[in-house]
């Protein structure tokens, strides 16, 4: 099929046609709007979300710092429960915050460590225990996943709204055909012989 013929077939709703209804034009604009919002809006939503997530992860890497802490109790080996084993358990640690104060808190540590062992923990700007910030690679992957999820979410909403609008148009067309049939059908029921 030639390109011109394909474009004519694809854009049939905008062409002058005695059988073209107002609903066909409305449907054509709905389809165009859905694809435009999908392409432009999806790209924008994905990029904005990925950039915002990357900023959050960069801020976490800048704010969080690792400190040396001492275990206050043994971290026993984990017994398997229902076939699930864990190599980390909650344990109490003590560390010196950046302001010089001594703090105590609970964090996940490897099993088998004895009390008095030195471990590395992460603290936020206020000296509270927190999780380690994601590395640059982990942050990039997670930002990409979040951006893709945002674009996919927007695509789902846009295609759902477009499908709902087209369904309503189809219902309206079916109702119009029913009304026309009710008017014209009785005329065809008479015998001419």
């Amino acid at each position: 099929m030639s390109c011109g013929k394909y474009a004519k077939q694809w854009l049939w709703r905008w062409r002058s046609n005695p059988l073209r209804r107002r609903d066909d034009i409305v449907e054509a604009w709905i389809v165009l709007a859905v694809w435009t919002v999908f392409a432009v809006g999806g790209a924008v939503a994905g990029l904005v979300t990925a950039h915002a997530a990357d900023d959050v992860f960069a801020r976490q890497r800048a704010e969080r710092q690792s400190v040396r802490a001492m275990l206050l109790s043994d971290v026993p080996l984990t017994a398997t429960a229902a076939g699930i084993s864990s190599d980390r358990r909650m344990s109490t640690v003590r560390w010196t915050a950046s302001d010089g104060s001594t703090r105590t808190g609970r964090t996940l540590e490897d099993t088998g460590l004895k009390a008095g062992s030195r471990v590395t923990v992460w603290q936020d700007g206020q000296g509270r225990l927190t999780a380690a910030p994601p590395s640059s690679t982990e942050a990039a992957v997670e930002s990409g996943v979040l951006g893709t999820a945002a674009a996919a979410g927007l695509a789902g909403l846009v295609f759902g709204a477009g499908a709902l609008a087209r369904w309503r148009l189809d219902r309206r067309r079916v109702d119009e055909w029913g009304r026309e049939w009710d008017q014209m059908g009785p005329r065809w029921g008479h015998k001419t012989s």
Side-chain angles (χ1 to χ4, degrees), residues 13-174:
R13 287 185 175 96
W14 280 288
R15 288 195 332 242
S16 179
N17 182 338
L19 298 177
R20 180 182 68 184
R21 298 164 293 194
R22 182 178 163 273
D23 288 349
D24 294 331
I25 297 169
V26 171
E27 183 178 18
W29 283 108
I30 288 171
V31 169
L32 180 65
V34 164
W35 280 104
T36 302
V37 171
F38 168 70
V40 175
V44 169
L47 289 173
V48 166
T49 302
H51 183 67
D54 199 40
D55 287 347
V56 168
F57 296 138
R59 191 170 47 251
Q60 286 178 356
R61 284 192 301 275
E63 290 175 354
R64 295 180 184 179
Q65 56 183 335
S66 63
V67 293
R68 298 292 290 165
M70 182 175 63
L71 278 173
L72 297 180
S73 60
D74 292 346
V75 185
L77 293 173
T78 303
T80 59
I84 300 170
S85 64
S86 173
D87 57 348
R88 296 176 63 84
R89 292 190 72 171
M90 289 299 288
S91 53
T92 306
V93 295
R94 180 177 33 222
W95 75 99
T96 303
S98 56
D99 62 1
S101 64
T102 301
R103 304 213 179 172
T104 304
R106 294 184 56 79
T107 185
L108 282 174
E109 291 300 333
D110 295 331
T111 57
L113 295 175
K114 300 290 182 200
S117 298
R118 291 285 185 188
V119 292
T120 301
V121 295
W122 288 86
Q123 67 179 356
D124 61 13
Q126 289 77 34
R128 297 180 303 233
L129 284 180
T130 186
S135 68
S136 302
T137 305
E138 292 169 337
V141 169
E142 195 164 344
S143 295
V145 168
L146 290 171
T148 302
L154 179 69
L157 287 173
V158 167
F159 282 127
L164 178 65
R166 291 181 72 193
W167 176 78
R168 289 188 58 134
L169 281 173
D170 285 342
R171 292 297 316 149
R172 196 162 97 185
R173 282 189 281 242
V174 167

Side-chain angles (χ1 to χ4, degrees), residues 176-188:
E176 283 179 24
W177 289 334
R179 283 190 298 273
E180 289 173 8
W181 182 257
D182 289 342
Q183 290 173 356
M184 298 304 288
R187 294 182 191 173
W188 293 348

